[in-house]
Amino acid sequence: MNFEYLNPVDETLLIHAKMQSSQAFGQCIDIYTAQNGFPDLTKIRIAIIGVEEGRASVGNYGTGSNLNEIRKELYKLYLGNWPISVADLGNISQGNTIEDTYFALGNLLSYLIKNKIIPIIIGGSQDLTYANYRAYDKLEQTVNIVAVDNKFDLGSIEDELTSQSYLSKIVMNKPNNLFNYSNIGYQTYFNSQEEIDLLDSLFFDTYRLGEVVNSIKLVEPLMRDADIVTIDLSAIKNSDAPANKNATPNGFSGADICAISRYAGISDKVTSFGIYEYNAEFDAKTQTAQLISQMIWYFIEGVNYRAKDYPFGLKDNYQKYSVPIDDQILTFHKSNKSGRWWMEINLNDNNKFKRHALIPCTYEDYISATNQEIPDRWFKTLKKLV
């Protein structure tokens, strides 16, 4: 792999890192600088990548600049009580064309994911999610995307690829490797009823902001089934994350988004995590840079506490429950290790979607089944599998 697309972290940030406590991030991660050289990736589990690309951001011009503000805040944070093997790989700068940036990011992400290194992408506009998605083409697998966003970003078929139309390109463009899309935190007045109905007809999962805020645990099974997690900062209320020209009064709180980031990290299946639409021009007292650094901290903590109980290992590590409903028998599995639940759809081994036949769920889904109610996610997944 040629890493020429990456520009090293500024030397002034290395000086800043060395001024921190010996137990702070800045002293404990490998930082790619001209002085340090490129990190040995064979020892790395998580890689931070900045992307200085904001040309396709709608209504948030300037995103992708001054990413060092995030690094300054991250380098100050103390480690949790866990081992860490993180590298900061610097930034991908804008290419001559936006397609050049997508190509560079996609190539790098594909390499990292193939080598079991989890990339954390800080950017840049949310259309970079499309480049992230295309990185999985080389891995020849279908993928699930979870987007934390107040909009679906569908746009229309005729629109160019932007931060507000990337999802339609993912759904329509070939090769089509998308199996499921889930939105967390959409606000109804920002999305047309036609869009809401379309996602429902595609059997995608959508959760309004109020639903999630009232029960943040709804996020856990969704994250457990995700390959890609993409977060638009406009999903966070303006008072907690002002560094976004599209920020609005309502949204997740800083505490909510950190909990969501931790759920993403804990998921055994998540292999890439992106935070987009940071615009330093509007970042009073670097408040948003601090929040992003804390989101990254919580994601890394989650990765370090992964239970590694998905996909299934030894059957002895799980309890199996069979629930008859009409002419169906729903099979549930509970992990003895983590207490987490899954429900199963029986498929033959030749089905190309076999990896999606095991659906993360909750204890409440099991109780619903015992009350003769088929869980909604089981039904939606079945419709996509057959």
Side-chain angles (χ1 to χ4, degrees), residues 4 94 155 280 316 321 325:
E4 63 181 7
Q94 283 191 7
D316 291 346
Y321 301 83
I325 301 181

Side-chain angles (χ1 to χ4, degrees), residues 95-165:
N96 290 329
T97 66
I98 199 166
E99 288 76 18
D100 291 338
T101 309
Y102 295 154
F103 178 82
L105 178 60
N107 260 13
L108 177 60
L109 295 181
S110 184
Y111 174 84
L112 294 174
I113 295 163
K114 192 171 184 178
N115 285 277
K116 302 190 184 308
I117 300 169
I118 302 168
I120 297 175
I121 306 135
I122 52 175
S125 46
Q126 202 184 15
D127 53 291
L128 296 171
T129 302
Y130 182 79
N132 187 357
Y133 165 71
R134 289 270 75 108
Y136 288 77
D137 290 350
K138 296 177 182 177
L139 305 179
E140 298 180 347
Q141 68 174 62
T142 51
V143 298
N144 293 338
I145 297 175
V146 170
V148 183
D149 203 337
N150 62 9
K151 297 179 181 178
F152 299 139
D153 296 327
L154 273 167
S156 66
I157 302 301
E158 297 78 22
D159 290 344
E160 293 184 0
L161 175 58
T162 70
S163 62
Q164 293 189 6
S165 68

